[in-house]
Amino acid sequence: MRKIFVAGNWKLNKTIAEAKDLVNAMLPELEKITNVDKAVCPSYLAVPAVAEVCKGTSLKVGAQNVYWEDSGAFTGEVAPKMVAEVCDYVIVGHSERRAMFGETDETVNKRLKAALEAGLHVIVCVGETLEENEAGETEAVVSRQLKQGLADITAAQAEKITIAYEPVWAIGTGKAATPEDANNVHKNVIRPLLTAQFGEARAQAMRIQYGGSIKPDNAAELFAMSDIDGGLVGGASLKADSFVEIIRAASMVTIVVEESEK
Ligand code: 13P
């Protein structure tokens, strides 16, 4: 089975001092769990401090966004090589960036290309709004976001890409998608598009995370689904205990699946 990959997106939370405290509180337990890939994505200013604490550990660090130019008159932006100087991962296309900060599929694609060029691993987010979901447009919206977001990307580049399916209506609402509904989008919408673009082998190896109200008590049933290869966790990643419990759930699912495959 694919190694489950769970990332915490801290959004606009935690000062530098708080971020260091949080990661220091998580690390001892996280270090005991070796069969799950894990990362945290603090806000920009806390990234270097958290990366320093995580150096030499199994916990990877990422930024929450990146601009596509290397330098120039772009006040307030952060360049891919600046991110790559301090950490390994970056999130692009989060629905909050799309809804509140004017991001489009085209700018997501520019950010993705620039981030890959800088050597970063990229988590590309897609997901439909409540209105789109209720109008039966989930497949159309996710397909458009994925095709345009991944435009011109090759199978070799895709090795460093993780897709995160985050239905907007599930983010921060306490109302996660059912494991079956999420898996249906992963398996029947996202994976086939990845297969068409990158070929069977690469598409099978790529991880598709689910995001939206993942909690310790629903994590295991989500991760047990055939095409849910991990999670992008918001609120529950802001507390050491709940994030560790979610990673532990991923670890247990891995052990159970590996036993059943023997
Ligand atoms: P919640 O886990 O708080 O719903 O947030 C999900 C998310 O947006 C992660 O990127």
Side-chain angles (χ1 to χ4, degrees):
M1 101 175 242
R2 290 170 291 273
K3 197 169 182 188
I4 293 179
F5 174 29
V6 180
N9 173 9
W10 294 357
K11 308 191 181 184
L12 184 54
N13 294 288
K14 306 294 174 188
T15 62
I16 297 172
E18 290 166 349
K20 285 202 283 191
D21 284 350
L22 177 56
V23 85
N24 272 317
M26 295 174 169
L27 266 174
E29 287 307 309
L30 291 185
E31 281 291 81
K32 294 179 193 160
I33 303 168
T34 55
N35 61 351
V36 177
D37 286 332
K38 45 218 183 260
V40 289
C41 302
S43 62
Y44 274 135
L45 288 180
V47 169
V50 169
E52 190 60 35
V53 175
C54 293
K55 206 180 245 173
T57 74
S58 60
L59 184 60
K60 303 290 182 198
V61 180
Q64 297 171 15
N65 194 18
V66 65
Y67 195 55
W68 57 82
E69 296 287 350
D70 264 346
S71 63
F74 306 104
T75 302
E77 293 298 330
V78 175
K81 66 180 180 186
M82 297 171 181
V83 174
E85 207 172 18
V86 283
C87 64
D88 299 321
Y89 285 78
V90 68
I91 299 170
V92 301
H94 193 280
S95 64
E96 287 148 18
R97 303 290 325 164
R98 295 175 190 260
M100 291 185 269
F101 303 101
E103 299 220 358
T104 63
D105 296 326
E106 194 190 350
T107 60
V108 170
N109 183 247
K110 285 182 169 189
R111 289 172 210 277
L112 169 62
K113 287 176 180 165
L116 291 170
E117 186 77 17
L120 290 160
H121 293 255
V122 189
I123 299 174
V124 181
C125 302
V126 297
E128 81 287 359
T129 63
L130 182 61
E131 298 76 66
E132 290 162 343
N133 182 281
E134 288 175 344
E137 293 169 358
T138 299
E139 179 168 355
V141 170
V142 171
S143 300
R144 189 206 71 226
Q145 291 174 335
L146 206 62
K147 280 187 194 158
Q148 296 184 11
L150 299 183
D152 310 319
I153 299 296
T154 65
Q157 288 176 302
E159 190 180 356
K160 286 197 160 182
I161 297 176
T162 296
I163 306 297
Y165 169 58
E166 300 203 300
V168 178
W169 47 269
I171 296 177
T173 59
K175 194 172 161 282
T178 66
E180 292 75 20
D181 285 349
N183 195 54
N184 181 43
V185 175
H186 288 216
K187 185 175 179 175
N188 299 319
V189 180
I190 298 176
R191 190 91 60 197
L193 284 170
L194 298 177
T195 304
Q197 184 167 354
F198 305 127
E200 178 79 21
R202 170 63 61 218
Q204 286 300 327
M206 287 176 77
R207 273 130 11 139
I208 306 173
Q209 296 174 325
Y210 164 78
S213 299
I214 298 184
K215 300 278 181 288
D217 62 6
N218 63 13
E221 52 178 1
L222 285 160
F223 299 150
M225 301 305 291
S226 67
D227 285 70
I228 299 182
D229 312 315
L232 189 53
V233 185
S237 72
L238 294 172
K239 291 212 165 76
D241 288 357
S242 48
F243 193 59
V244 167
E245 269 187 66
I246 289 168
I247 307 268
R248 218 175 260 139
S251 172
M252 294 306 291
V253 167
T254 302
I255 292 167
V256 170
V257 171
E258 280 174 355
E259 282 301 315
S260 72
E261 283 174 352
K262 272 183 192 161

